[in-house]
Amino acid sequence: MNVLFYGIIIFLTALFIHFIFWKFYLPKNQTMALLVIFCIVLTLGVAISCNKAYCVNFLNILKPYGIIEYIQLLFLFSSLSLAYTVTYSAIEVDSPSLLIISHIAQNGKAGLAMSELEQLIMRDALITNRINDLLAGKFIALDNKIYIITPKGRVIANIFILYRKILRIPKGG
Amino acid sequence: MPLDYLRLFSPIISFFINVACNIYICRYYLSRLGLLKSIIIAFLIGFFILLTIEFYYLSNTAQACLDGAVSSFIANVIIYFSFGYCYFHFINLGETGRRIRILRELYESDRGLSEEEIMARYNAQEIFERRIKRLIASRQITFRGRRYYVNNSLLLLAFRIIVAIKYILFAKKN
């Protein structure tokens, strides 16, 4: 019970701090800020539970004991944090697929005509907003009205190109 | 003791088996199954491996220690599901991510691209058509009499959850 309980408690604490922090200040690089919060909370959570001075077990549930339980705690927290972080990227930007679904659903049983949907969805901002995100993240740079990929962007592109080659999947988007 | 370590790393081992199976299925059966089914099948194979290791461990655990072993099992299932979910997102990002597509277009161009050139290669029309095709193929929406209709859509549920989280975080209703 201890690893499951303490892992979830520490994760929920990190989420709570994230929600409160966002109310007062929205970081420029939200994903990085989220990862920093998760790392700090995990470190503090493990340090507190390891410290013999804090002998009282929360709600009478024993603290994790031994290297195996602490490694499992680390796996549990890391996996939940990563899952939340990748979900957050969908919260941060508007997904075209979700926008399509929501516009059609708003019309209920009447459905939505093709022409109306095209007018609602087909905006150049779908691309230009993402270009601006890439510029802000320094994955690309603008040089005399030409966009060029930076070394950081090259690393990311390489990962996806290589993996799609391994899977033998054609270009996406 | 070795069993304890096997058990500790069981979600990680299962996850790597999941990935290996996904690579194999995609390379040889992609045209028959499609990407989504290949991800699901590989995930289920990994999950089966996880369950096998866990049940073997539980069957060798003393009755007195069963409580702790069961909660540890639940933790391992959560770990495996979370990593599986992250992997699904990683594949999906390569498949549908606009930023990834833009990066790849720039990567493949020797001298960089202007905004007009990016739009010529990848634009809102293409995004719209690809998404619609994918949504119809996965039965999230249907197209009848030149109108689109939502089915009982998992994506619609995902959208509502995201709107709720956005409201909590940013106090925005859209």
Side-chain angles (χ1 to χ4, degrees), chain A:
Chain A
M1 191 62 177
N2 39 10
V3 171
L4 183 63
F5 179 77
Y6 282 93
I8 289 175
I9 286 288
I10 295 172
F11 177 67
L12 290 176
T13 304
L15 277 189
F16 179 73
I17 291 170
H18 153 52
F19 286 170
I20 299 298
F21 195 85
W22 259 234
K23 287 287 179 202
F24 293 102
Y25 173 71
L26 193 63
K28 218 173 168 182
N29 190 337
Q30 294 174 48
T31 307
M32 185 53 70
L34 202 52
L35 290 172
V36 167
I37 289 173
F38 282 136
C39 285
I40 291 173
V41 172
L42 175 66
T43 306
L44 287 174
V46 169
I48 289 168
S49 72
C50 276
N51 195 324
K52 285 180 184 165
Y54 298 98
C55 291
V56 178
N57 295 311
F58 191 54
L59 294 180
N60 264 344
I61 295 170
L62 288 172
K63 292 184 292 184
Y65 178 78
I67 187 83
I68 289 179
E69 289 194 352
Y70 274 103
I71 292 174
Q72 192 181 28
L73 179 74
L74 180 68
F75 285 162
L76 179 61
F77 183 87
S78 304
S79 63
L80 287 171
S81 305
L82 275 172
Y84 181 77
T85 306
V86 299
T87 307
Y88 188 80
S89 64
I91 296 166
E92 212 179 339
V93 302
D94 289 327
S95 159
S97 300
L98 294 183
L99 284 174
I100 288 169
I101 293 264
S102 76
H103 284 306
I104 299 172
Q106 268 166 30
N107 268 31
K109 288 182 181 167
L112 191 63
M114 191 199 291
S115 54
E116 288 171 44
L117 185 61
E118 284 176 4
Q119 271 186 333
L120 287 166
I121 298 295
M122 282 207 289
R123 294 166 283 136
D124 284 345
L126 284 176
I127 305 283
T128 53
N129 285 346
R130 299 292 73 78
I131 292 174
N132 291 336
D133 288 342
L134 288 169
L135 274 171
K138 296 186 174 43
F139 295 101
I140 64 176
L142 185 60
D143 179 19
N144 205 21
K145 292 190 180 180
I146 299 288
Y147 292 100
I148 49 173
I149 193 166
T150 61
K152 186 177 169 185
R154 212 169 270 281
V155 168
I156 302 297
N158 265 325
I159 291 170
F160 283 93
I161 289 169
L162 179 63
Y163 202 70
R164 290 183 79 80
K165 272 189 189 153
I166 292 171
L167 293 178
R168 291 189 191 159
I169 303 176
K171 193 187 280 191

Side-chain angles (χ1 to χ4, degrees), chain A residues 1-4 68-69 72, chain B residues 7-8 10-11 54 57-58 66-79:
Chain A
M1 191 62 177
N2 39 10
V3 171
L4 183 63
I68 289 179
E69 289 194 352
Q72 192 181 28
Chain B
R7 210 271 179 111
L8 171 67
S10 62
E54 289 294 328
Y57 181 85
L58 287 170
L66 220 46
D67 263 350
V70 168
S71 73
S72 199
F73 162 67
I74 295 169
N76 277 348
V77 169
I78 293 172
I79 293 167

